[in-house]
Amino acid sequence: MSQHITLSIDAMGGDNAPAMVVEGMDMALRDLPGTKFIVYGRSEQLVPLLEKFPKLSANVDLRHTDDVVSNDEKPGIALRSGRQSSMRKAIDAVGQHEADGVVSAGNTGALMAMAKFVLKTLPGIDRPAIASLLPTMRGESVMLDLGANIQCDAENLVQFAVMGEVFARNVLHIEKPSIGILNVGTEVLKGNDSVKQAAAILSETKLPIDFYGFVEGDDIGKGTVDVVVTDGFTGNVALKTVEGTAKLFAGALKQELMKSLPGKIGALVAKPAIDSFRERFDPRRYNGAMFLGLGGICVKSHGGTDALGFCYAIKVAHELVTDQLNEGIKEDYARFSSEHHSIPLIAAED
């Protein structure tokens, strides 16, 4: 892929920054030749790291910033006092149209607050949602919200459904994605008022989407639907449960195989299959949560990831820009708002 795309990078965000950020950029550049990076951070730390990667250095515009948003800084404080931070400057680059997207492994709340303030929301979107891809028995599905909005009403959930549907069509290239709302049961009478009202709206609307209905937690792994919609509290708990279960299973399998000589021999024989399994479910391959609904591309990498995980987050941002996701959301909402009045649309922020 040789498209000339520029991404701004918060080099100081993440537990292992800035070393893993620089190495991750170098990995990504190998698969995304022609990509340019505007990198924000402390130059005294970044210059020696970049010198190790000459090809990457040739594609980097390094801009020094002293300030860094800490992992435990409250979003409101970060928004007011972090204007000169690496995170804010990286977001500003997108707002000022210097960069096509931003990637950060820093404080999630601060990143969302700053990105929403600088980039605003797309027309028709009240609240941005954090979305991510998850592996399933059928391939991949997208789930949102994963933590941006702890409490959601029916309007928010409907907006998430439409954004998720546009994402699945444009990025996963599913012609008619199916949408389900995560609930405590599949019966129509189950759940709180918000999920029931959202389901009623999506069931009755004339929008060209395939609304499946309610889905439960085990449907996530099954791949029952292409898009799983939920509030940020439930979504975050579900995501962390999936990640924890994957680590538990991988650790238990390794422990059992190493217990005995026959197990070690079996592991050696099955190594190709085990390696393939490990690669498919490696959480680093699904690193890079998208802030859908913003007026610019913003991707959040897991704070504890390594270089490979950050590389995948960069690839996510690159793909969102390439697939013109925001343009697709804007076009669909414009069409939906003019042709269908059954979905309550909320004006974007000024």
Side-chain angles (χ1 to χ4, degrees):
M1 190 175 294
S2 58
Q3 295 191 39
H4 296 292
I5 288 173
T6 299
L7 298 176
S8 58
I9 306 294
D10 169 20
M12 308 309 295
D15 299 343
N16 303 305
M20 71 87 179
V21 172
V22 173
E23 188 178 351
M25 286 192 294
D26 183 69
M27 289 181 177
L29 187 62
R30 298 173 200 171
D31 295 328
L32 305 172
T35 303
K36 303 295 182 182
F37 299 102
I38 304 176
V39 179
Y40 293 87
R42 293 170 177 164
S43 57
E44 66 272 17
Q45 293 178 257
L46 288 165
V47 169
L49 292 170
L50 287 168
E51 288 176 347
K52 300 177 182 178
F53 304 99
K55 290 184 179 180
L56 172 64
S57 297
N59 289 273
V60 166
D61 177 1
L62 178 59
R63 301 184 183 181
H64 175 77
T65 58
D66 282 315
D67 295 348
V68 175
V69 175
S70 65
N71 289 334
D72 58 355
E73 195 162 348
K74 293 183 179 180
I77 295 176
L79 185 60
R80 292 191 298 272
S81 63
R83 297 176 183 177
Q84 300 302 315
S85 66
S86 57
M87 180 183 289
R88 175 62 182 271
K89 288 295 186 180
I91 297 170
D92 285 344
V94 179
Q96 295 163 3
H97 305 293
E98 284 191 276
D100 301 299
V102 56
V103 183
S104 173
N107 183 316
T108 303
L111 183 64
M112 174 60 84
M114 288 182 177
K116 188 176 180 182
F117 178 80
V118 174
L119 304 177
K120 310 302 182 186
T121 55
L122 293 173
I125 303 300
D126 177 29
R127 301 179 184 179
I130 299 176
S132 184
L133 294 175
L134 295 176
T136 74
M137 293 174 65
R138 296 175 54 238
E140 292 180 329
S141 65
V142 60
M143 185 171 175
L144 70 168
D145 178 27
L146 298 178
N149 307 283
I150 300 302
Q151 293 182 324
C152 297
D153 59 22
E155 294 179 357
N156 300 139
L157 295 177
V158 170
Q159 291 174 9
F160 297 168
V162 177
M163 287 193 293
E165 191 269 347
V166 173
F167 176 90
R169 273 194 292 109
N170 286 271
V171 178
L172 296 180
H173 306 295
I174 301 172
E175 184 175 351
K176 192 174 182 181
S178 56
I179 297 174
I181 296 178
L182 190 61
N183 200 1
V184 295
T186 59
E187 298 86 351
V188 293
L189 296 178
K190 292 236 177 137
N192 57 37
D193 289 342
S194 294
V195 298
K196 288 190 284 190
Q197 291 172 12
I201 293 171
L202 291 171
S203 296
E204 297 171 3
T205 184
K206 296 179 181 178
L207 293 175
I209 60 177
D210 178 14
F211 180 59
Y212 177 88
F214 291 139
V215 293
E216 298 182 88
D218 59 342
D219 287 307
I220 298 173
K222 291 178 183 178
T224 301
V225 293
D226 301 305
V227 181
V228 179
V229 175
T230 186
D231 61 83
F233 181 91
T234 307
N236 191 268
V237 171
L239 176 65
K240 297 298 173 60
T241 301
V242 169
E243 291 177 344
T245 302
K247 291 178 181 178
L248 171 64
F249 180 82
L253 178 61
K254 181 178 180 180
Q255 188 177 42
E256 291 299 320
L257 289 173
M258 294 297 104
K259 272 185 176 181
S260 64
L261 180 60
K264 292 178 181 179
I265 296 174
L268 184 62
V269 173
K271 188 177 184 301
I274 293 174
D275 289 344
S276 178
F277 176 86
R278 182 187 296 114
E279 182 179 357
R280 180 184 175 190
F281 292 100
D282 187 344
R284 295 175 299 179
R285 295 183 65 246
Y286 298 92
N287 185 44
M290 301 137 280
F291 288 176
L292 297 185
L294 291 173
I297 298 300
C298 182
V299 171
K300 169 66 173 71
S301 168
H302 195 290
T305 194
D306 61 9
L308 180 60
F310 198 81
C311 166
Y312 274 100
I314 290 174
K315 290 182 178 181
V316 167
H318 192 283
E319 184 172 16
L320 295 180
V321 174
T322 302
D323 291 333
Q324 299 183 317
L325 179 71
N326 277 356
E327 286 71 14
I329 292 175
K330 287 190 288 187
E331 289 175 5
D332 278 16
Y333 261 104
R335 178 163 53 87
F336 295 158
S337 61
S338 63
E339 297 179 5
H340 305 277
H341 302 288
S342 56
I343 285 191
L345 297 177
I346 300 176
E349 296 180 351
D350 294 327

